[in-house]
Amino acid sequence: MKMRFVDEFRNPELIRKTLDEIERIIEPDDHFRIMEACGGHTYSIFHFGLQELLPKNIEFIHGPGCPVCVLPPGRVDEGLEIASKNSDVIFTAFGDVMRVPGKKGSPLNYKAMGTDVRMIYSPLDALNIAMKNPDKKVILFAIGFETTAPSTAITVLKAKELDIDNFFVYSNHVKIVPVLKSILDQPNMRIDGFIGPGHASVVIGAHPYETIAKEYKKPVVISGFEPLDLLQSILMLIKQLKNGESKVEIQYKRVVMEGGNVSALEIMNQVFEDRPAFEWRGLGAIQNSALKLKPEFSKWDAEVQFNVEKITIEENKDAQCGEVLKGMLKPNQCKLFGKVCTPDNPVGALMVSSEGACATYYNHLYSTMSL
């Protein structure tokens, strides 16, 4: 049956049929640990109550697919230090960055203290601010997986075309496959399969995940975000695991193509190159896991033009973000969860974004308790 509308992916009869199929093929002794690599999937799993519907021997491991959550706090401080020390600098960032805690506070805290911090909805918003304020230097705090990197690349190309010399990119774009490999390389790590991210895969396609399936023998199913999307993806994963298979499949075929978005990839490759290594919050340095501007675009590279000094911040040792990201702990097992660390007062990065595993757990736990 061809499905075209969102409500069709929430059809109770189809959901029940898929759940019945999952229950039919799972045996009592089975125990599958499935990592959803995308924060949007974590949110959907809780929002639609899928954990309560599925058999208890399917365990979800909440992966590193929230770019705000894996950003080292020092990176935010580095960008904000430039703006706070220079009255002619405007710091721009997406809304979910605004509450990320650094050593001296979040971007919102800096804004309250007088630093020119502005929230944007698109990288082009930052470029427009630069064009309207030629006497100011505008820093775009660019963040995100491959999902958002093409829009940053397009904006850099537009700045070059228009010869805008007061616009700079502070790139924090990261890549999904290197971090999945890093997690699998962790000692005593047991993950049976992956629900592959939907949005990043729109750009990169299915091919980059082949290394996960072939080298690590872990199946990957790229999923959409509706309840039926996720249940179908789980069913596909379990069928592979029961058959001893490890391949990459696309459930989200209405959006994701095998080869990805060729135009977006070409634009990314034109502007960006891999960093030799990049520090991930709770995971450490991972090789070739992030993107920086190529030397020919150094005119618009904030790290080059402002000679950014690296800031290293020792994280709160009681905030167990790393263990949660690696699947070693559930969010509510963290010492600070729901006590010191809440969405209103995030100590760890996983509590900052609505797609962070801890924020999702917290909102789900306390919304159900209030019923």
Side-chain angles (χ1 to χ4, degrees):
M1 179 173 67
K2 187 173 182 179
M3 302 169 74
R4 297 176 296 162
F5 305 108
V6 168
D7 58 352
E8 294 174 306
F9 291 89
R10 300 181 182 182
N11 184 303
E13 291 182 11
L14 293 175
I15 289 172
R16 184 68 262 171
K17 183 178 178 181
T18 308
L19 282 167
D20 288 344
E21 179 68 7
I22 291 171
E23 291 170 358
R24 186 185 65 81
I25 65 174
I26 282 192
E27 299 175 64
D29 292 337
D30 288 333
H31 182 200
F32 299 117
R33 287 169 56 92
I34 296 172
M35 175 174 278
E36 80 278 5
C38 173
H41 286 149
T42 304
Y43 175 85
S44 292
I45 287 167
F46 280 91
H47 179 71
F48 294 114
L50 300 186
Q51 284 207 146
E52 285 73 26
L53 295 174
L54 285 160
K56 299 305 179 187
N57 43 0
I58 295 176
E59 180 184 358
F60 289 111
I61 309 299
H62 312 301
C66 164
V68 170
C69 304
V70 297
L71 184 71
R75 294 290 293 183
V76 179
D77 280 337
E78 288 162 13
L80 287 168
E81 280 291 294
I82 299 170
S84 64
K85 291 179 178 179
N86 298 278
S87 60
D88 62 341
V89 171
I90 300 172
F91 178 95
T92 67
F94 293 138
D96 54 357
V97 174
M98 289 294 170
R99 296 170 59 247
V100 176
K103 186 175 183 179
K104 299 179 182 178
S106 68
L108 282 179
N109 295 140
Y110 273 79
K111 182 177 178 67
M113 292 185 289
T115 303
D116 197 342
V117 174
R118 305 188 192 185
M119 187 177 75
I120 56 170
Y121 295 93
S122 161
L124 286 171
D125 291 345
L127 185 61
N128 287 331
I129 292 171
M131 293 170 67
K132 291 177 182 178
N133 297 271
D135 58 330
K136 299 282 188 177
K137 298 172 182 176
V138 177
I139 295 177
L140 166 63
F141 191 85
I143 191 170
F145 283 88
E146 293 96 337
T147 314
T148 53
S151 60
T152 300
I154 288 173
T155 306
V156 172
L157 292 174
K158 193 67 176 176
K160 181 179 181 181
E161 176 191 337
L162 298 175
D163 196 25
I164 306 298
D165 59 6
N166 65 325
F167 169 79
F168 308 94
V169 173
Y170 192 64
S171 177
N172 297 279
H173 286 297
V174 289
K175 299 166 66 177
I176 186 63
V177 172
V179 71
L180 297 184
K181 292 171 66 176
S182 176
I183 288 172
L184 287 170
D185 287 335
Q186 298 288 328
N188 303 316
M189 176 55 62
R190 190 204 142 194
I191 295 171
D192 297 308
F194 289 93
I195 297 175
H199 295 145
S201 301
V202 170
V203 176
I204 66 174
H207 298 316
Y209 302 102
E210 291 292 342
T211 183
I212 304 295
K214 292 178 179 177
E215 293 181 24
Y216 293 89
K217 306 300 181 185
K218 306 295 182 184
V220 179
V221 176
I222 298 166
S223 177
F225 297 86
E226 295 299 322
L228 192 57
D229 286 321
L230 284 159
L231 290 174
Q232 287 177 343
S233 299
I234 292 164
L235 177 59
M236 293 163 73
L237 275 174
I238 292 172
K239 283 182 176 179
Q240 283 199 55
L241 291 167
K242 297 290 282 186
N243 293 330
E245 298 175 323
S246 58
K247 56 187 178 181
V248 180
E249 294 184 287
I250 303 174
Q251 181 277 335
Y252 204 20
K253 288 185 178 179
R254 63 188 185 276
V255 175
V256 177
M257 296 181 289
E258 288 280 349
N261 185 321
V262 176
S263 297
L265 290 170
E266 288 177 350
I267 290 169
M268 280 175 57
N269 292 333
Q270 183 179 348
V271 173
F272 291 113
E273 64 183 15
D274 284 357
R275 293 180 184 271
F278 188 75
E279 193 79 18
W280 291 62
R281 191 169 196 165
L283 298 172
I286 302 175
Q287 292 184 343
N288 301 314
S289 64
L291 302 172
K292 65 176 182 177
L293 270 62
K294 287 184 174 180
E296 53 263 43
F297 296 100
S298 61
K299 179 179 177 180
W300 297 278
D301 189 338
E303 291 179 83
V304 174
Q305 296 301 323
F306 291 93
N307 193 24
V308 177
E309 184 177 343
K310 182 175 175 59
I311 297 175
T312 302
I313 299 174
E314 186 175 342
E315 299 186 49
N316 188 320
K317 294 178 180 178
D318 290 329
Q320 298 167 286
C321 297
E323 287 91 335
V324 174
L325 284 170
K326 296 171 189 173
M328 297 166 63
L329 287 180
K330 300 301 183 190
N332 57 348
Q333 294 173 325
C334 175
K335 300 173 186 176
L336 304 184
F337 179 87
K339 302 179 183 76
V340 178
C341 188
T342 68
D344 291 331
N345 181 45
V347 176
L350 297 179
M351 196 64 90
V352 172
S353 169
S354 62
E355 293 187 353
C358 291
T360 299
Y361 255 72
Y362 183 94
N363 292 327
H364 171 75
L365 177 66
Y366 287 97
S367 65
T368 52
M369 287 175 61
S370 64
L371 293 178

